[in-house]
Amino acid sequence: MISLAAGFTDSASLPVAEARELLQEILRSPKTGRSALQYGTTAGDPLLRRLTAERLHAADGASTSDGRYSPERLLITNGSQQLLYLVAEALCDPGDIVLLEDPTYFVYLGIAQSHGLRGRGIPLRDDGLDVAQLERTLEALRRRGDLPRVKLLYVVTYHQNPTGITTTFEKKVRALELLRRYEKAAGHPIYLLEDAAYRELRFAGPPVRSALAAGDPARVIYAGTFSKPFATGARLGFGLLPPALFAAAVRIKGNHDFGSANLLQHLLARALASGRYDEHLALIARRYARKAATMTAALRAHFPASVRWHAPAGGLYVWVQLPQRINAGLKSKFFTEALANDVLYVPGEICYADDPSRRRPRNELRLSYGDASLAGIRAGIAALGRVARRHLL
Ligand SMILES: Cc1ncc(COP(=O)(O)O)c(C=O)c1O
């Protein structure tokens, strides 16, 4: 079976030797070893928090000193997944509404469902969120008296999972302005939750600033991760949160776990401080660029001309759109035939919120080149192409 489904990272380039050396350094002296093997604090290792905050500040090229990138607001979590969960727990009540991209990161839909939230999808354009539609949706919610139930807009802004789309900085600014405008009618803050899980996996195109760099960062919650860029198995991510939310998230995290694994936080702090993290990033950027190019070349070679996709500039995914009449959903013949040909993909339909205001498309596929080998990518796409040709005849 060739899996083009899982969001796994490239196993062959995981930083095994680097992690071994760094752990040896940590455990060589009793002093550093003991501090890494003891409980830490719930908010996270102070050095890792500082280095992460500085890294974000530098990535945004920001010259501000107004505290928006303060380590005091930075919470280390068990993957960014935990941060997403903590934010839902801190902010939302059953029946609340979360605005999200259409399509979005399907695991987030699980978090929303488990909190009893209703999702409202905002379409994506090639340059990110359709801000005009966001305004129309907010206005419709206001007219129906539903705005008090809206707590946040969740957006995966860099090389999005599942579409690979990056949202421009200008769109983030406009989205924040809109949320602010509708706050009065909502009666409470409406936050922009920026999930930047794939920000550091960029191999083409210019860097894009985060929503934290917008005029007013008081409504921005930024979720980042060390998983995808370094080691998914370390399960470390982070959030930069407005102060009131930070306190609530720390309280909830304390109830979960007293803090993320201290030893692994020391490992990550050393990887960042020593430059090994950045060296690793440069290496994987080259690998993913090659894998993405292999996948899109195979798509060109094996898929009918009526099938659409974008060449990714980062991240792990290619989003394939078949003609609308083709059903490639979980229960479709297309999916079953792909499985029978030993290829697994993520049916695009599971990336759409249960939003009654539109039909859920079934003609899309999320393909991942993260962990597949180059030969696996070529063979998998060739097999999928054969299935697609049969359905498109
Ligand atoms: C968009 C997005 N956000 C968050 C996560 C969570 O990753 P982690 O918990 O490893 O940081 C993922 C994982 O695939 C993802 O795709």
Side-chain angles (χ1 to χ4, degrees):
M1 179 66 70
I2 300 171
S3 177
L4 303 178
F8 279 35
T9 52
D10 183 56
S11 289
S13 60
L14 282 169
V16 176
E18 294 86 337
R20 183 171 49 237
E21 277 170 32
L22 293 166
L23 285 170
Q24 273 166 355
E25 279 175 26
I26 292 167
L27 299 173
R28 191 169 296 139
S29 98
K31 185 162 174 278
T32 53
R34 283 182 195 133
S35 108
L37 291 174
Q38 186 52 276
Y39 276 130
T41 62
T42 303
D45 173 58
L47 177 60
L48 182 58
R49 290 172 73 199
R50 181 169 65 73
L51 293 173
T52 309
E54 286 171 2
R55 197 174 171 79
L56 266 180
H57 198 158
D60 277 348
S63 55
T64 76
S65 52
D66 61 4
R68 67 179 72 189
Y69 298 96
S70 164
E72 301 287 303
R73 299 160 142 227
L74 199 131
L75 174 62
I76 303 291
T77 50
N78 288 313
S80 51
Q81 193 63 29
Q82 185 184 36
L83 194 271
L84 301 180
Y85 187 92
L86 293 174
V87 168
E89 187 87 2
L91 272 184
C92 301
D93 300 305
D96 279 350
I97 294 169
V98 50
L99 306 172
L100 24 78
E101 291 153 322
D102 220 16
T104 187
Y105 170 43
F106 62 85
V107 184
Y108 188 77
L109 295 173
I111 293 181
Q113 265 158 18
S114 72
H115 284 81
L117 309 182
R118 292 174 284 163
R120 287 291 170 270
I122 312 292
L124 273 172
R125 303 282 167 230
D126 287 352
D127 59 351
L129 198 72
D130 184 336
V131 183
Q133 186 56 45
L134 172 64
E135 181 166 16
R136 284 193 286 277
T137 301
L138 284 165
E139 186 53 29
L141 289 164
R142 187 189 65 76
R143 269 193 260 110
R144 279 205 301 273
D146 272 342
L147 263 190
R149 301 314 304 257
V150 177
K151 298 287 174 63
L152 58 95
L153 166 67
Y154 169 70
V155 275
V156 183
T157 45
Y158 296 89
H159 317 296
Q160 196 230 23
N161 179 2
T163 61
I165 287 172
T166 293
T167 295
T168 61
F169 179 66
E170 292 69 27
K171 284 197 155 182
K172 298 180 206 178
V173 171
R174 278 167 56 207
L176 272 168
E177 285 166 1
L178 273 176
L179 298 181
R180 268 286 190 186
R181 187 161 5 118
Y182 281 88
E183 271 189 5
K184 225 181 232 137
H188 55 237
I190 306 177
Y191 290 94
L192 186 146
L193 170 52
E194 173 163 43
D195 179 339
Y198 299 92
R199 183 177 190 180
E200 295 198 301
L201 264 53
R202 175 174 62 90
F203 45 75
V208 176
R209 284 177 290 164
S210 78
L212 290 164
D216 170 15
R219 296 292 184 259
V220 178
I221 303 164
Y222 182 95
T225 187
F226 297 117
S227 262
K228 309 282 180 185
F230 195 71
T232 44
R235 303 304 305 120
L236 286 176
F238 57 90
L240 198 74
L241 304 103
L245 261 181
F246 176 86
V250 171
R251 225 175 11 252
I252 303 166
K253 182 167 166 63
N255 291 335
H256 283 184
D257 58 22
F258 306 154
S260 299
N262 212 16
L263 176 62
L264 296 172
Q265 293 188 66
H266 283 231
L267 169 69
L268 251 302
R270 277 186 187 247
L272 287 169
S274 64
R276 284 191 182 84
Y277 183 93
D278 280 321
E279 284 164 21
H280 184 67
L281 261 186
L283 167 82
I284 61 173
R286 287 194 297 276
R287 282 186 78 88
Y288 289 134
R290 175 125 190 256
K291 286 184 163 196
T294 301
M295 184 171 271
T296 49
L299 283 164
R300 258 193 313 277
H302 298 290
F303 272 62
S306 55
V307 177
R308 298 265 164 266
W309 66 86
H310 288 283
L316 302 179
Y317 311 106
V318 178
W319 182 245
V320 173
Q321 293 178 301
L322 305 170
Q324 262 177 7
R325 65 190 161 83
I326 308 292
N327 179 0
L330 257 188
K331 295 194 179 128
S332 67
K333 262 180 78 180
F334 193 104
F335 188 69
T336 316
E337 281 178 30
L339 277 183
N341 283 276
D342 294 329
V343 192
L344 191 61
Y345 65 87
V346 170
E349 67 171 342
I350 71 167
C351 305
Y352 287 89
D354 224 353
D355 181 340
S357 68
R358 54 105 180 90
R359 276 187 59 220
R360 187 193 288 256
R362 298 197 198 286
N363 59 316
E364 295 159 325
L365 290 65
R366 190 198 76 175
L367 304 178
S368 169
Y369 45 81
D371 196 25
S373 65
L374 295 180
I377 292 170
R378 287 188 198 105
I381 298 295
L384 266 184
R386 283 192 294 276
V387 176
R389 282 187 189 281
R390 265 200 300 281
H391 283 257
L392 281 166
L393 277 182

